[in-house]
Amino acid sequence: MTFPYTGWVLMPSYKPKPEQFVKSFRATHHVTDKGKYVHLSEIYVSMTQAINAGTKHLSEQQAALDKKQANINKRRAALEKAAGEAKP
């Protein structure tokens, strides 16, 4: 890869933003013109790729939340069953 180049990153708000990368840092990071270190897995060639990656990440987060909610529902049902059995 030749420097400088422009790549896309997702901000913490998931808004895609173009960044100018000026050099490599080790084999895993590139450095922006503002001195920020970005992992190679978080740099995308286009805005579309950044959006697709963000959408995939949100889907994975939603799946994890759904699984946690299912476990909470099972535990709540167990507690309600135990509470019903404990009443005289």
Side-chain angles (χ1 to χ4, degrees), residues 45-87:
V45 176
S46 67
M47 183 178 185
T48 302
Q49 283 185 351
I51 291 169
N52 290 340
T55 301
K56 179 181 176 190
H57 189 251
L58 289 176
S59 295
E60 292 167 356
Q61 288 180 338
Q62 185 64 55
L65 286 173
D66 292 345
K67 184 176 179 181
K68 287 180 182 182
Q69 186 63 51
N71 287 336
I72 289 170
N73 291 342
K74 286 179 189 177
R75 291 175 182 162
R76 182 175 288 123
L79 286 172
E80 289 171 357
K81 181 179 177 184
E85 293 170 356
K87 291 182 181 179

Side-chain angles (χ1 to χ4, degrees), residues 11-76:
M11 302 305 293
S13 66
Y14 275 66
K15 180 180 178 184
K17 178 182 175 189
E19 288 281 355
Q20 185 76 22
F21 293 94
V22 294
K23 66 180 180 178
S24 180
F25 178 74
R26 299 191 180 156
T28 58
H29 292 77
H30 284 178
V31 183
T32 68
D33 56 351
K34 296 175 182 120
K36 180 180 174 186
Y37 293 83
V38 181
H39 194 274
L40 292 177
S41 66
E42 298 174 356
I43 301 172
Y44 305 98
V45 176
S46 67
M47 183 178 185
T48 302
Q49 283 185 351
I51 291 169
N52 290 340
T55 301
K56 179 181 176 190
H57 189 251
L58 289 176
S59 295
E60 292 167 356
Q61 288 180 338
Q62 185 64 55
L65 286 173
D66 292 345
K67 184 176 179 181
K68 287 180 182 182
Q69 186 63 51
N71 287 336
I72 289 170
N73 291 342
K74 286 179 189 177
R75 291 175 182 162
R76 182 175 288 123

